[in-house]
Amino acid sequence: MTDPTASSNVPQRSNADILRLRKQLLNPTLSVSYNEPLKIVRGEGVWLYDQYGQAYLDMVNNVCHVGHCHPRVVAAGQAQMAQLNTNTRYLHDNIVEYALRLTATLPKPLSVVFLTNSGTEANDLALRLARAHTRAQGVVVVDHAYHGHSPSMVELSPYKFNGKGGAGQSPHVGVVGMPDTYRGPFREASTAGMQYGQLLPAAIDSLRQSGIAPAAFYCESLLGCGGQIVLPEGYLPEAYAAVRAAGGVCLADEVQVGFGRVGEHFWAFEHQGVVPDIVTLGKPIGNGHPMGAVVTTPEIAASFVSGMEYFNTFGGNPVSCAIALAVLDVIADEQLQENARRVGAFLMEGLRELQQRHDCIGDVRGRGLFVGAELVRDCEARTPDQPKAKAVVEAMKARHVLLSTEGPDDNVLKIKPPIVFSQANAEEFLDKLDQVLRES
């Protein structure tokens, strides 16, 4: 069947031909999802469609935050593209309007905006800001974290440097254990946050013993690659205090979890009652349009003024800013932060009910529509069950629901759909997951 949405000058190839040409022509490290890859040709809301018109419920796309191809976001980009797209050396209303609207969602003194093209670029630029401000080089990160694919960010990403093909830990990087209250060493809810936070001084001291002062602490506000981990209460206050006492600055990586996904707050770090020195944004900021941002304090921004201009050809262009403004409008007008809170609570409750019936679900955790279900072979021992998790993902795909896995042992079902995800969508997912677990 020919895809009716396809451009007339692009031949429509079979999946086998596309795979062959990818292998022949493209980056050989590119991966595809599922044992039998899907050819996706259209998206709408929470749905993705293959070339045959078959719909799949998208449970993992936190990039298209307000839904695939949201008409208001598409229209905003089309209208601005038809009028003008240029760089920031010309004056334009869109960039200052976006900076005003974005900083209005953040606590003071986070009031200076740098616009980039991706979350990786944002995290990379943030490192330059932190080092300029502190005149130090060291960085403390959380184990199994991922902060981007540039050389500097791979060095700050244990998920990469300790993984296949990784070069190992760099001398300027300190690593602290994940604050995992399910399988980590500290599990008591009332004290775990403080105990995990108290791991920071040892990492800082280790850097100092090598003659390296700490510039920054990078931490996702919820841990994505770490396995959809919710930070225990009190973790960031304890960690931030240690870093600031050592002269470093504290960065909240909101690339995956910002913009109302967590429901109760617009930004996930707010759950910890802290104000970071730097916040980095990406993925949902443009609903699939390549864009990122760094927001910091006037003091840190001033430290970056050295005489060398920071210019980014595409960062902050009028089209990107028009799209990003539309995303903010849609989140507010469609009350999507509240939707994430309400539907996320329903989804978590449903998963916990399934946990009572299926011993393989060892833990259910999350905030809003950022949820993980950890699959285990033994509930008492909490032994990770990667084969089970992979089999569940494939079985759900056969039922037209798209999931993925995450975590150090790749045994956590990763659930982070567009935040237009409804209770009816959640019910469909829970019913199908129940079927899969009963049959496996």
Side-chain angles (χ1 to χ4, degrees), residues 30 88 105 115 128 144 146 179 216 245 268 290 295 349 416 421 424-426:
L30 283 176
T88 53
T105 70
L115 294 176
R128 291 179 60 191
H144 214 69
Y146 174 64
V295 188
E349 181 182 355
K416 46 183 186 178
F421 193 76
N425 298 144

Side-chain angles (χ1 to χ4, degrees), residues 18-38:
I18 293 173
L19 284 168
R20 176 181 57 79
L21 288 168
R22 280 173 62 110
K23 185 176 181 180
Q24 176 185 331
L25 299 170
L26 301 183
N27 166 11
T29 69
L30 283 176
S31 63
V32 292
S33 298
Y34 310 109
N35 293 336
E36 294 184 8
L38 292 169

Side-chain angles (χ1 to χ4, degrees), residues 234-247:
Y235 175 68
L236 286 185
E238 188 76 23
Y240 279 19
V243 172
R244 287 168 174 160

Side-chain angles (χ1 to χ4, degrees), residues 2 5 14 50 159 227 236 354 415 422 438:
T2 302
T5 67
S14 68
D50 68 14
Y159 174 73
L236 286 185
L354 291 182
I415 302 166
S422 70
R438 279 191 281 107

Side-chain angles (χ1 to χ4, degrees), residues 80-92:
Q80 185 59 56
M81 179 66 82
Q83 188 173 60
L84 172 73
N85 201 24
T86 188
N87 62 60
T88 53
R89 288 200 170 111
Y90 299 99
L91 301 183
H92 199 276

Side-chain angles (χ1 to χ4, degrees), residues 103 199 280 298 300 328 346 363 440:
T103 54
L199 299 177
T280 54
I300 292 174
L328 291 179
F346 176 85
D363 191 39
S440 62

Side-chain angles (χ1 to χ4, degrees), residues 198-215:
Q198 288 172 347
L199 299 177
L200 272 289
I204 293 167
D205 288 345
S206 180
L207 288 173
R208 287 199 185 282
Q209 288 170 15
S210 300
I212 300 170

Side-chain angles (χ1 to χ4, degrees), residues 4-22:
T5 67
S7 172
S8 59
N9 63 355
V10 177
Q12 297 305 291
R13 298 178 171 91
S14 68
N15 289 14
D17 279 347
I18 293 173
L19 284 168
R20 176 181 57 79
L21 288 168
R22 280 173 62 110

